[in-house]
Amino acid sequence: MTAHDHQIAQDEESEGSGSGLGSYLPRWRPTSSTDLGLAEKRVLKFVQTPLKLFNTATTFGKIWTLRTNNEVPENKVPLVMLHGMGAGIGIWVLNLDTIAKGRRVYALDLLGFGRSSRPQFPTSVEGVEEQYISSIEQWRSANNLTRFTLLGHSFGGYLATLYAKKYPQHIAHLVLADPWGFTRMPEEKMQIPLRWKLVINVLKPFNIFSGLRAAGPLGPRLVNKMRPDLQVKFTKHVKDVDAVPNYIYHCNAQNPSGEVAFKSLHLELGYAKSPLIDRISDLHKDIPVTMIYGAQSWMDPTNGYRVQELREGMAPVAVELILNAGHHVYADDPERFNTLLSYACGMYECTDNSSSN
């Protein structure tokens, strides 16, 4: 058994399927924390770089953490990766080997997602943001990181921006991959026709992946039917064609704590209640920013150019467009994404950036 396998086995023992009558009854949703651990292992076995997987304790619960266990020069700035909605550390399978060449890489399951704890969140925008940002800061402190490049995809980009805003002393470079939450809701979209208001009101009580969980034993098949692109995106490197869809299913068939938190942050049509475009000027002037967009994504890349305007005279803001990519830029064109990310990571090396782990 490798150290990688041993670490996963340890976690499965500590987060087993439970006891009592419920453990003997058929499960409506064919998932458990053990199933999720096995699904993650099935994906991560395609990463060649040595990995260490462990829990990091915070006052809000445990944060499941991946760290590359490679030898790196002391002056190399570590990279910390935050995934997007409904994902986990396994989604970086196409990126880890390339990015870890020459630097230590950390990835974490955000609270409410993946194998991290799924606590109850406040219902206000301020409360949700504070809990996430505080948990990331506690995670940083526990892992003895002083300064690092911070990457966030989609919802992870939203949280990465807020973290960098509050704790600029720890950020060497902020990299946002197709980030959610910058766009203001257009005025014309606030005038929703009555028939659509009725539809929205009917759907309002439900979370993003409610249908997946309601499908019960059909859930795994539903992922393949609704997201056939997952197999296409990953199979060049992940030869087990069902590994990633299976992982995504188990990530989202659990208690939807993170989904509920995200719901508190957005309006009916998915726009942020407190758009980052109105807050990005408050980011410390010395923090460089790179924004990587997919040309075929529903995220608006003009936000990147607006950020450049708003931060004129401050540290550089680079905006990159990956032509053959949609929202999942890290998987749609991993070669180009990895090249851009590696370049961004290397731009601001500093000898006082280190980790003792």
Side-chain angles (χ1 to χ4, degrees), residues 73-337:
E74 287 186 6
N75 69 327
K76 291 293 184 177
V77 180
L79 170 68
V80 175
M81 308 171 86
L82 305 182
H83 64 78
M85 170 59 57
I89 60 175
I91 58 104
W92 305 114
V93 63
L94 302 180
N95 318 109
L96 286 167
D97 284 330
T98 301
I99 303 306
K101 289 176 181 174
R103 76 186 60 256
R104 184 65 50 81
V105 177
Y106 294 78
L108 54 141
D109 284 346
L110 295 166
L111 283 179
F113 296 98
R115 300 180 70 188
S116 288
S117 296
R118 297 184 177 233
Q120 184 172 354
F121 285 84
T123 56
S124 67
V125 170
E126 297 77 14
V128 171
E129 291 181 353
E130 178 57 33
Q131 185 160 323
Y132 268 120
I133 301 318
S134 294
S135 70
I136 295 169
E137 171 57 11
Q138 289 182 31
W139 175 90
R140 178 210 63 79
S141 178
N143 283 283
N144 299 310
L145 291 166
T146 55
R147 203 158 171 261
F148 50 91
T149 295
L150 182 58
L151 163 71
H153 170 251
S154 193
F155 178 46
Y158 181 88
L159 297 178
T161 303
L162 295 177
Y163 178 86
K165 186 167 161 289
K166 185 166 184 178
Y167 296 101
Q169 69 272 26
H170 299 307
I171 304 301
H173 194 168
L174 177 62
V175 183
L176 305 176
D178 226 54
W180 173 82
F182 273 84
T183 307
R184 295 190 200 97
M185 188 175 191
E187 297 240 351
E188 63 271 17
K189 291 196 176 181
M190 295 181 185
Q191 310 302 317
I192 303 171
L194 179 60
R195 65 181 181 278
W196 287 112
K197 284 185 179 179
L198 294 173
V199 172
I200 289 169
N201 285 333
V202 168
L203 295 176
K204 192 177 289 186
F206 299 98
N207 295 307
I208 295 173
F209 297 106
S210 291
L212 183 70
R213 290 182 290 274
L218 298 177
R221 239 182 284 173
L222 194 60
V223 173
N224 279 325
K225 193 168 185 62
M226 294 177 64
R227 294 295 309 276
D229 60 305
L230 286 175
Q231 292 183 339
V232 176
K233 292 178 197 295
F234 288 90
T235 47
K236 183 178 178 181
H237 184 73
V238 179
K239 301 307 179 184
D240 181 348
V241 295
D242 293 323
V244 173
N246 180 62
Y247 173 65
I248 295 299
Y249 169 75
H250 288 292
C251 278
N252 293 293
Q254 317 280 324
N255 168 24
S257 166
E259 286 175 57
V260 174
F262 179 70
K263 188 175 179 181
S264 297
L265 298 176
H266 70 77
L267 300 165
E268 284 81 359
L269 297 179
Y271 293 93
K273 290 180 179 177
S274 183
L276 291 178
I277 200 68
D278 297 327
R279 299 191 272 172
I280 193 67
S281 295
D282 296 332
L283 181 69
H284 194 282
K285 64 182 180 64
D286 293 334
I287 294 181
V289 181
T290 294
M291 305 179 77
I292 304 172
Y293 287 93
Q296 299 170 34
S297 173
W298 59 85
M299 297 298 175
D300 184 2
T302 61
N303 282 311
Y305 303 118
R306 179 63 180 144
V307 171
Q308 284 181 324
E309 294 172 3
L310 291 170
R311 294 182 60 78
E312 187 175 357
M314 304 185 196
V317 176
V319 181
E320 303 286 353
L321 205 60
I322 300 182
L323 296 180
N324 298 316
H327 181 52
H328 298 278
V329 287
Y330 57 88
D332 290 328
D333 190 346
E335 290 81 10
R336 179 62 179 155
F337 179 81

